[in-house]
Amino acid sequence: MISMPNSHRRGFTLIEIMVAMAIFTLIGLASTGVLNSVINSDQLSSERFAKLEELQRAMLTIERDILQIVPRALRVNGEPVSAVISGGEDVLNSDADGLGFVRAGWHNPQMLLPRSTLQAIGYRLQEEQLQRLYGNYVDNVIGYEPKIKILLSDIEDFRVSFLTEVEQLEKPEEWEESYSNANIPIAISITLVSKTFGEIRREFILANGI
């Protein structure tokens, strides 16, 4: 028996193959674009989350230091000064405001370390970095350079202000922009201007100042 060829059987034409390849190419390009977008978004989220964690750590450090301020005067270049807190412009060679004081609560178990539990602390802005200055001793010798820890980067401004009267608490515009006194103020406010988070203001009520 002789079989007749099936006239309905045929392969893919060149045009059909090219169209299919073009469709798969478009799908591949679209998938790559979506994947790159997801990767970039995840990277941006990770970077922003890391900066948020850095900001939280910095604010906790600032809060811990300020809430433990004690009325202890310093020696600057070997000379005693009466002020227990100095803040405002031209303090600690800051590009903006600066803040200097002595804090308690520096852990020294059973006084085994050759230092006290007090620590001189300073905050300043240099090269868009919020820096924390500290040392092992409250009164340092002439020529001593404090240790520096960078708390935050990409900071455009750093401002401090001081509350000396309870009536000023609800009037931030009346807070004093500079302070150098033998008495602890009622409260201190810290304002940071970050390139990532914008303006951030925190106010700290000081128990020793009330």
Side-chain angles (χ1 to χ4, degrees):
M1 182 177 181
I2 300 174
S3 60
M4 299 295 294
N6 191 346
S7 59
H8 296 288
R9 292 181 181 177
R10 62 185 182 89
F12 292 105
T13 65
L14 180 60
I15 294 178
E16 291 173 333
I17 294 175
M18 292 181 67
V19 169
M21 291 178 63
I23 293 173
F24 282 117
T25 300
L26 291 175
I27 293 174
L29 290 175
S31 300
T32 301
V34 171
L35 181 61
N36 287 336
S37 177
V38 171
I39 292 174
N40 292 336
S41 177
D42 182 66
Q43 182 178 359
L44 182 62
S45 298
S46 298
E47 292 175 355
R48 193 173 182 85
F49 183 73
K51 285 185 174 293
L52 180 59
E53 286 186 321
E54 181 184 53
L55 175 63
Q56 291 174 332
R57 287 193 299 267
M59 297 307 295
L60 286 174
T61 298
I62 294 172
E63 179 180 14
R64 178 197 63 195
D65 286 343
I66 290 180
L67 293 183
Q68 297 186 100
I69 289 177
V70 294
R72 167 66 156 82
L74 295 171
R75 286 181 178 271
V76 180
N77 292 328
E79 297 294 329
V81 295
S82 60
V84 299
I85 297 179
S86 294
E89 294 183 345
D90 302 322
V91 174
L92 299 175
N93 296 318
S94 177
D95 294 339
D97 284 354
L99 179 65
F101 54 86
V102 176
R103 57 156 286 204
W106 193 21
H107 190 52
N108 191 350
Q110 299 182 356
M111 300 301 291
L112 295 177
L113 300 175
R115 59 167 175 78
S116 73
T117 57
L118 301 180
Q119 187 180 35
I121 298 294
Y123 285 92
R124 70 183 182 189
L125 183 68
Q126 284 194 351
E127 298 179 354
E128 295 190 342
Q129 297 174 338
L130 179 63
Q131 300 177 350
R132 180 180 186 264
L133 284 62
Y134 64 98
N136 290 333
Y137 307 103
V138 177
D139 299 317
N140 296 296
V141 298
I142 298 176
Y144 169 81
E145 292 294 332
K147 299 176 183 178
I148 299 174
K149 180 179 180 180
I150 299 173
L151 295 182
L152 295 170
S153 56
D154 294 333
I155 301 298
E156 297 178 325
D157 197 11
F158 172 63
R159 301 189 300 272
V160 297
S161 56
F162 304 87
L163 177 72
T164 57
E165 301 291 339
V166 176
E167 292 76 12
Q168 297 171 314
L169 188 58
E170 300 299 329
K171 301 176 181 179
E173 69 277 2
E174 294 185 6
W175 286 43
E176 299 180 16
E177 296 181 354
S178 62
Y179 189 86
S180 181
N181 200 291
N183 298 316
I184 295 177
I186 295 175
I188 297 177
S189 77
I190 300 291
T191 302
L192 301 172
V193 180
S194 166
K195 291 182 178 179
T196 303
F197 301 104
E199 183 173 307
I200 303 166
R201 178 185 170 93
R202 286 287 309 274
E203 297 176 0
F204 305 95
I205 305 297
L206 304 182
N208 290 335
I210 298 177

